[in-house]
Every structure is written in structure tokens, then in C-alpha cells.
Amino acid sequence: MSDASDEGRGERLIAVRDSKDPDGPKLFFSVSAWKDFLDRIKAGKHELPEDMREELDERFVV
């Protein structure tokens, strides 16, 4: 995950890629969409092992 900035609008975007394929495609999320997605994972609305949910605060902070 990394931040990307659209120079023209100054909008912050979150870029997400597969760490095993660093040159592969990236998905871009607005900051609010990324936060909403993480909140849904933490709330258990997407399947993810509990121990991985607990690590979200440490690994995917915006």
C-alpha cells in the first residue's frame, strides 16, 4: 500500500498492489473509501481471520 497524489486536484489516493507482484496492477482508493473498507473488515463484514483484523490498525493506517 502506498499513497499517491493526483497533482492536478491535490486529492490523496491510496494505491494497493500485490506485494508478490510489485510491478503488477494497482487499485486506487480515495482516502474515505479506504477507511470505509477497513472499517467494514474490522466490523467483520468481510471474511478475514480475527488475527489479521487485529493487525489492520498497525499495517494499514491512513
Side-chain angles (χ1 to χ4, degrees):
M1 178 187 75
S2 66
D3 274 340
S5 180
D6 181 335
E7 294 289 327
R9 298 183 305 198
E11 180 181 359
R12 280 187 63 198
L13 298 174
I14 305 298
V16 181
R17 64 171 172 79
D18 182 346
S19 61
K20 296 179 294 297
D21 185 11
D23 295 324
K26 296 166 187 67
L27 297 174
F28 292 91
F29 296 89
S30 68
V31 172
S32 62
W34 183 250
K35 286 180 178 177
D36 289 344
F37 177 64
L38 293 180
D39 288 343
R40 292 180 59 82
I41 290 173
K42 291 176 195 177
K45 297 185 180 185
H46 297 287
E47 286 188 33
L48 191 68
E50 183 65 34
D51 60 328
M52 289 182 78
R53 250 185 260 143
E54 292 170 357
E55 294 175 11
L56 289 177
D57 289 330
E58 300 167 14
R59 296 178 63 204
F60 299 103
V61 176
V62 176

